[in-house]
Amino acid sequence: MPEPTPLTSRRGLFLGAAAVSAGVLVTGCTSNEPSDAEPAASDRPAAADKPGKPVTIGFAGPQADHGWLNAINDNAEKRAKTYSDVTMEITEGSNDTAQQIGQIETLINKKVDVLVVLPADGKALTQVGLKAMRAGIPVVNLDRIFNSPQAYRCWIGGDNYGMGLNAGHYIGEKLKDTPDARVIELAGLDNLELTKQRTRGFDDALKNYPNIKKVARQAADFTVESGQAKMAQLLQAQSAFDALWNHDDDQGVGALRAVEQAGRDDFLMVGGAGALSAFQAIKADDGVLKATVLYPPSMAASAIDLARALGQGKGVGGLAEFEIPTSLTCYSAVVDKENVDQYMSTGFK
């Protein structure tokens, strides 16, 4: 997502004389080395501090018609349940912007303490974010960013450019000794800024490897069906290449079907997001998929942590500041056979 613009502190409205909470953990965005026995982020006890002021969090997300989006909802709900002082008001997810605006306005009218919003369309929902902030309800903007920094108190989300960058460097290191190496790219939806950022990061990384050339690119639309169809086209058009970067593990399921149907095993594949099926394939190591670059849905659990902190006037444990940051960008770690066991519990279905 685009780098959020810094927001002027609204200490008087939201935080008062805030105290740093040692127990508010921004999980999934700060740690790249979870222990082997560690449960998924949303299932871990969220805070070591004592329960504080009761906080009602309104949560509004888009329709969970994709594995990653479903994981977002699941992470948020599970995280809230680990707090005895948090009550969740959850809307029925919608990809219809007018409907989602109405759902958020209902939460505003209910006077929830904090809002966590993953907008179906950040631009279209900016005004309702502004409305909440003007009503004195701090907004945690999750992933898809509003057009105005005045529409949210804190943004937390993934690093799309970083996904492409890390995928490119991983492939580059694998192919750095391969003369005239050829790579292809299976992107997401080209009308989305996030897709453009992932491609830009990938291309920038490949500039460090003069022996590698990107010879083809197809845009799919984040579904299994499109992944299979577009990958079949790429395989037919490219009789030989050395690596593939696929932007999304959901459409990667279809891409792998096309690879299997074509009987191809002459290249390595890197996925994106962190689906359980991808982790399992990487661990089995009996196909072309060798790694995936995370876009962690645990950011939703962290959004609940941040919302609770805002509602209780606390900061983030481990930081000196009395207030939570304006923005937090999750790291896009590369998961391969060497570290897949550490991340297996975070995989989404």
Side-chain angles (χ1 to χ4, degrees), residues 173-192:
E173 288 301 304
K174 293 296 183 183
L175 301 180
K176 63 183 178 181
D177 296 325
T178 302
D180 301 319
R182 296 159 57 88
V183 302
I184 64 175
E185 181 181 5
L186 186 64
L189 281 164
D190 267 343
N191 64 336
L192 297 179

PDB file of all heavy atoms in Angstrom, residues 173-192:
ATOM      1  N   GLU A 173      18.988 -14.205  -6.108  1.00  0.00           N
ATOM      2  CA  GLU A 173      20.057 -14.958  -5.460  1.00  0.00           C
ATOM      3  C   GLU A 173      20.079 -16.415  -5.931  1.00  0.00           C
ATOM      4  O   GLU A 173      21.142 -17.021  -6.031  1.00  0.00           O
ATOM      5  CB  GLU A 173      19.898 -14.889  -3.939  1.00  0.00           C
ATOM      6  CG  GLU A 173      20.231 -13.521  -3.351  1.00  0.00           C
ATOM      7  CD  GLU A 173      21.666 -13.098  -3.658  1.00  0.00           C
ATOM      8  OE1 GLU A 173      22.600 -13.848  -3.311  1.00  0.00           O
ATOM      9  OE2 GLU A 173      21.846 -12.019  -4.266  1.00  0.00           O
ATOM     10  N   LYS A 174      18.913 -16.953  -6.215  1.00  0.00           N
ATOM     11  CA  LYS A 174      18.857 -18.333  -6.703  1.00  0.00           C
ATOM     12  C   LYS A 174      19.412 -18.449  -8.125  1.00  0.00           C
ATOM     13  O   LYS A 174      19.942 -19.500  -8.507  1.00  0.00           O
ATOM     14  CB  LYS A 174      17.412 -18.846  -6.672  1.00  0.00           C
ATOM     15  CG  LYS A 174      16.825 -18.998  -5.271  1.00  0.00           C
ATOM     16  CD  LYS A 174      17.553 -20.045  -4.462  1.00  0.00           C
ATOM     17  CE  LYS A 174      16.923 -20.232  -3.094  1.00  0.00           C
ATOM     18  NZ  LYS A 174      17.668 -21.220  -2.264  1.00  0.00           N
ATOM     19  N   LEU A 175      19.273 -17.384  -8.905  1.00  0.00           N
ATOM     20  CA  LEU A 175      19.650 -17.443 -10.323  1.00  0.00           C
ATOM     21  C   LEU A 175      20.895 -16.626 -10.658  1.00  0.00           C
ATOM     22  O   LEU A 175      21.242 -16.493 -11.836  1.00  0.00           O
ATOM     23  CB  LEU A 175      18.488 -16.951 -11.190  1.00  0.00           C
ATOM     24  CG  LEU A 175      17.159 -17.696 -11.092  1.00  0.00           C
ATOM     25  CD1 LEU A 175      16.131 -17.067 -12.034  1.00  0.00           C
ATOM     26  CD2 LEU A 175      17.328 -19.178 -11.411  1.00  0.00           C
ATOM     27  N   LYS A 176      21.568 -16.090  -9.654  1.00  0.00           N
ATOM     28  CA  LYS A 176      22.673 -15.168  -9.936  1.00  0.00           C
ATOM     29  C   LYS A 176      23.814 -15.811 -10.718  1.00  0.00           C
ATOM     30  O   LYS A 176      24.580 -15.098 -11.383  1.00  0.00           O
ATOM     31  CB  LYS A 176      23.201 -14.571  -8.627  1.00  0.00           C
ATOM     32  CG  LYS A 176      23.807 -15.560  -7.654  1.00  0.00           C
ATOM     33  CD  LYS A 176      24.233 -14.862  -6.379  1.00  0.00           C
ATOM     34  CE  LYS A 176      24.806 -15.841  -5.376  1.00  0.00           C
ATOM     35  NZ  LYS A 176      25.200 -15.151  -4.117  1.00  0.00           N
ATOM     36  N   ASP A 177      23.928 -17.115 -10.656  1.00  0.00           N
ATOM     37  CA  ASP A 177      24.988 -17.802 -11.395  1.00  0.00           C
ATOM     38  C   ASP A 177      24.479 -18.478 -12.669  1.00  0.00           C
ATOM     39  O   ASP A 177      25.203 -19.259 -13.293  1.00  0.00           O
ATOM     40  CB  ASP A 177      25.663 -18.843 -10.487  1.00  0.00           C
ATOM     41  CG  ASP A 177      26.365 -18.209  -9.296  1.00  0.00           C
ATOM     42  OD1 ASP A 177      26.918 -17.106  -9.462  1.00  0.00           O
ATOM     43  OD2 ASP A 177      26.340 -18.802  -8.195  1.00  0.00           O
ATOM     44  N   THR A 178      23.228 -18.192 -13.025  1.00  0.00           N
ATOM     45  CA  THR A 178      22.634 -18.768 -14.233  1.00  0.00           C
ATOM     46  C   THR A 178      22.752 -17.775 -15.384  1.00  0.00           C
ATOM     47  O   THR A 178      22.128 -16.708 -15.352  1.00  0.00           O
ATOM     48  CB  THR A 178      21.150 -19.106 -14.005  1.00  0.00           C
ATOM     49  OG1 THR A 178      21.020 -20.016 -12.908  1.00  0.00           O
ATOM     50  CG2 THR A 178      20.541 -19.732 -15.255  1.00  0.00           C
ATOM     51  N   PRO A 179      23.530 -18.081 -16.404  1.00  0.00           N
ATOM     52  CA  PRO A 179      23.668 -17.149 -17.529  1.00  0.00           C
ATOM     53  C   PRO A 179      22.338 -16.965 -18.262  1.00  0.00           C
ATOM     54  O   PRO A 179      21.585 -17.922 -18.457  1.00  0.00           O
ATOM     55  CB  PRO A 179      24.703 -17.831 -18.434  1.00  0.00           C
ATOM     56  CG  PRO A 179      25.395 -18.836 -17.562  1.00  0.00           C
ATOM     57  CD  PRO A 179      24.378 -19.282 -16.565  1.00  0.00           C
ATOM     58  N   ASP A 180      22.041 -15.723 -18.630  1.00  0.00           N
ATOM     59  CA  ASP A 180      20.839 -15.407 -19.428  1.00  0.00           C
ATOM     60  C   ASP A 180      19.572 -15.997 -18.809  1.00  0.00           C
ATOM     61  O   ASP A 180      18.726 -16.586 -19.497  1.00  0.00           O
ATOM     62  CB  ASP A 180      21.002 -15.914 -20.857  1.00  0.00           C
ATOM     63  CG  ASP A 180      22.210 -15.303 -21.556  1.00  0.00           C
ATOM     64  OD1 ASP A 180      22.433 -14.092 -21.388  1.00  0.00           O
ATOM     65  OD2 ASP A 180      22.934 -16.051 -22.242  1.00  0.00           O
ATOM     66  N   ALA A 181      19.428 -15.836 -17.491  1.00  0.00           N
ATOM     67  CA  ALA A 181      18.253 -16.352 -16.800  1.00  0.00           C
ATOM     68  C   ALA A 181      17.000 -15.586 -17.225  1.00  0.00           C
ATOM     69  O   ALA A 181      17.043 -14.381 -17.484  1.00  0.00           O
ATOM     70  CB  ALA A 181      18.440 -16.255 -15.291  1.00  0.00           C
ATOM     71  N   ARG A 182      15.900 -16.301 -17.306  1.00  0.00           N
ATOM     72  CA  ARG A 182      14.618 -15.737 -17.742  1.00  0.00           C
ATOM     73  C   ARG A 182      13.585 -15.934 -16.634  1.00  0.00           C
ATOM     74  O   ARG A 182      13.453 -17.028 -16.078  1.00  0.00           O
ATOM     75  CB  ARG A 182      14.136 -16.443 -19.019  1.00  0.00           C
ATOM     76  CG  ARG A 182      15.051 -16.237 -20.217  1.00  0.00           C
ATOM     77  CD  ARG A 182      14.846 -17.330 -21.278  1.00  0.00           C
ATOM     78  NE  ARG A 182      13.473 -17.422 -21.744  1.00  0.00           N
ATOM     79  CZ  ARG A 182      12.968 -16.717 -22.758  1.00  0.00           C
ATOM     80  NH1 ARG A 182      13.743 -15.865 -23.420  1.00  0.00           N
ATOM     81  NH2 ARG A 182      11.714 -16.858 -23.125  1.00  0.00           N
ATOM     82  N   VAL A 183      12.850 -14.865 -16.298  1.00  0.00           N
ATOM     83  CA  VAL A 183      11.806 -14.966 -15.290  1.00  0.00           C
ATOM     84  C   VAL A 183      10.500 -14.428 -15.860  1.00  0.00           C
ATOM     85  O   VAL A 183      10.492 -13.608 -16.793  1.00  0.00           O
ATOM     86  CB  VAL A 183      12.166 -14.206 -13.998  1.00  0.00           C
ATOM     87  CG1 VAL A 183      13.470 -14.720 -13.411  1.00  0.00           C
ATOM     88  CG2 VAL A 183      12.240 -12.709 -14.239  1.00  0.00           C
ATOM     89  N   ILE A 184       9.382 -14.900 -15.295  1.00  0.00           N
ATOM     90  CA  ILE A 184       8.059 -14.410 -15.675  1.00  0.00           C
ATOM     91  C   ILE A 184       7.299 -14.030 -14.407  1.00  0.00           C
ATOM     92  O   ILE A 184       7.686 -14.409 -13.297  1.00  0.00           O
ATOM     93  CB  ILE A 184       7.261 -15.445 -16.497  1.00  0.00           C
ATOM     94  CG1 ILE A 184       6.957 -16.697 -15.660  1.00  0.00           C
ATOM     95  CG2 ILE A 184       8.012 -15.810 -17.767  1.00  0.00           C
ATOM     96  CD1 ILE A 184       6.078 -17.689 -16.398  1.00  0.00           C
ATOM     97  N   GLU A 185       6.221 -13.281 -14.592  1.00  0.00           N
ATOM     98  CA  GLU A 185       5.474 -12.735 -13.462  1.00  0.00           C
ATOM     99  C   GLU A 185       3.975 -12.956 -13.676  1.00  0.00           C
ATOM    100  O   GLU A 185       3.444 -12.626 -14.738  1.00  0.00           O
ATOM    101  CB  GLU A 185       5.777 -11.244 -13.324  1.00  0.00           C
ATOM    102  CG  GLU A 185       5.074 -10.546 -12.178  1.00  0.00           C
ATOM    103  CD  GLU A 185       5.399  -9.055 -12.121  1.00  0.00           C
ATOM    104  OE1 GLU A 185       6.093  -8.555 -13.043  1.00  0.00           O
ATOM    105  OE2 GLU A 185       4.950  -8.396 -11.166  1.00  0.00           O
ATOM    106  N   LEU A 186       3.324 -13.508 -12.672  1.00  0.00           N
ATOM    107  CA  LEU A 186       1.868 -13.640 -12.663  1.00  0.00           C
ATOM    108  C   LEU A 186       1.343 -12.656 -11.630  1.00  0.00           C
ATOM    109  O   LEU A 186       1.407 -12.907 -10.423  1.00  0.00           O
ATOM    110  CB  LEU A 186       1.452 -15.073 -12.324  1.00  0.00           C
ATOM    111  CG  LEU A 186      -0.048 -15.377 -12.427  1.00  0.00           C
ATOM    112  CD1 LEU A 186      -0.538 -15.241 -13.862  1.00  0.00           C
ATOM    113  CD2 LEU A 186      -0.351 -16.782 -11.906  1.00  0.00           C
ATOM    114  N   ALA A 187       0.866 -11.518 -12.102  1.00  0.00           N
ATOM    115  CA  ALA A 187       0.457 -10.420 -11.229  1.00  0.00           C
ATOM    116  C   ALA A 187      -0.997 -10.587 -10.792  1.00  0.00           C
ATOM    117  O   ALA A 187      -1.670 -11.558 -11.145  1.00  0.00           O
ATOM    118  CB  ALA A 187       0.666  -9.093 -11.943  1.00  0.00           C
ATOM    119  N   GLY A 188      -1.476  -9.598 -10.038  1.00  0.00           N
ATOM    120  CA  GLY A 188      -2.864  -9.602  -9.591  1.00  0.00           C
ATOM    121  C   GLY A 188      -3.725  -8.801 -10.544  1.00  0.00           C
ATOM    122  O   GLY A 188      -3.728  -9.036 -11.749  1.00  0.00           O
ATOM    123  N   LEU A 189      -4.457  -7.834 -10.015  1.00  0.00           N
ATOM    124  CA  LEU A 189      -5.308  -6.958 -10.822  1.00  0.00           C
ATOM    125  C   LEU A 189      -4.551  -5.681 -11.140  1.00  0.00           C
ATOM    126  O   LEU A 189      -4.149  -4.945 -10.239  1.00  0.00           O
ATOM    127  CB  LEU A 189      -6.591  -6.617 -10.065  1.00  0.00           C
ATOM    128  CG  LEU A 189      -7.691  -7.679 -10.048  1.00  0.00           C
ATOM    129  CD1 LEU A 189      -8.696  -7.364  -8.948  1.00  0.00           C
ATOM    130  CD2 LEU A 189      -8.397  -7.756 -11.388  1.00  0.00           C
ATOM    131  N   ASP A 190      -4.380  -5.393 -12.418  1.00  0.00           N
ATOM    132  CA  ASP A 190      -3.570  -4.241 -12.799  1.00  0.00           C
ATOM    133  C   ASP A 190      -4.228  -2.899 -12.499  1.00  0.00           C
ATOM    134  O   ASP A 190      -3.553  -1.869 -12.524  1.00  0.00           O
ATOM    135  CB  ASP A 190      -3.212  -4.321 -14.286  1.00  0.00           C
ATOM    136  CG  ASP A 190      -1.877  -5.007 -14.512  1.00  0.00           C
ATOM    137  OD1 ASP A 190      -1.097  -5.122 -13.547  1.00  0.00           O
ATOM    138  OD2 ASP A 190      -1.605  -5.437 -15.650  1.00  0.00           O
ATOM    139  N   ASN A 191      -5.529  -2.871 -12.230  1.00  0.00           N
ATOM    140  CA  ASN A 191      -6.152  -1.599 -11.899  1.00  0.00           C
ATOM    141  C   ASN A 191      -5.985  -1.244 -10.422  1.00  0.00           C
ATOM    142  O   ASN A 191      -6.430  -0.185  -9.980  1.00  0.00           O
ATOM    143  CB  ASN A 191      -7.643  -1.601 -12.266  1.00  0.00           C
ATOM    144  CG  ASN A 191      -8.436  -2.612 -11.458  1.00  0.00           C
ATOM    145  OD1 ASN A 191      -7.884  -3.594 -10.965  1.00  0.00           O
ATOM    146  ND2 ASN A 191      -9.733  -2.379 -11.320  1.00  0.00           N
ATOM    147  N   LEU A 192      -5.322  -2.118  -9.659  1.00  0.00           N
ATOM    148  CA  LEU A 192      -5.065  -1.853  -8.250  1.00  0.00           C
ATOM    149  C   LEU A 192      -3.653  -1.305  -8.068  1.00  0.00           C
ATOM    150  O   LEU A 192      -2.692  -1.843  -8.617  1.00  0.00           O
ATOM    151  CB  LEU A 192      -5.222  -3.122  -7.418  1.00  0.00           C
ATOM    152  CG  LEU A 192      -6.610  -3.766  -7.387  1.00  0.00           C
ATOM    153  CD1 LEU A 192      -6.577  -5.022  -6.538  1.00  0.00           C
ATOM    154  CD2 LEU A 192      -7.655  -2.794  -6.856  1.00  0.00           C
TER     155      LEU A 192
END
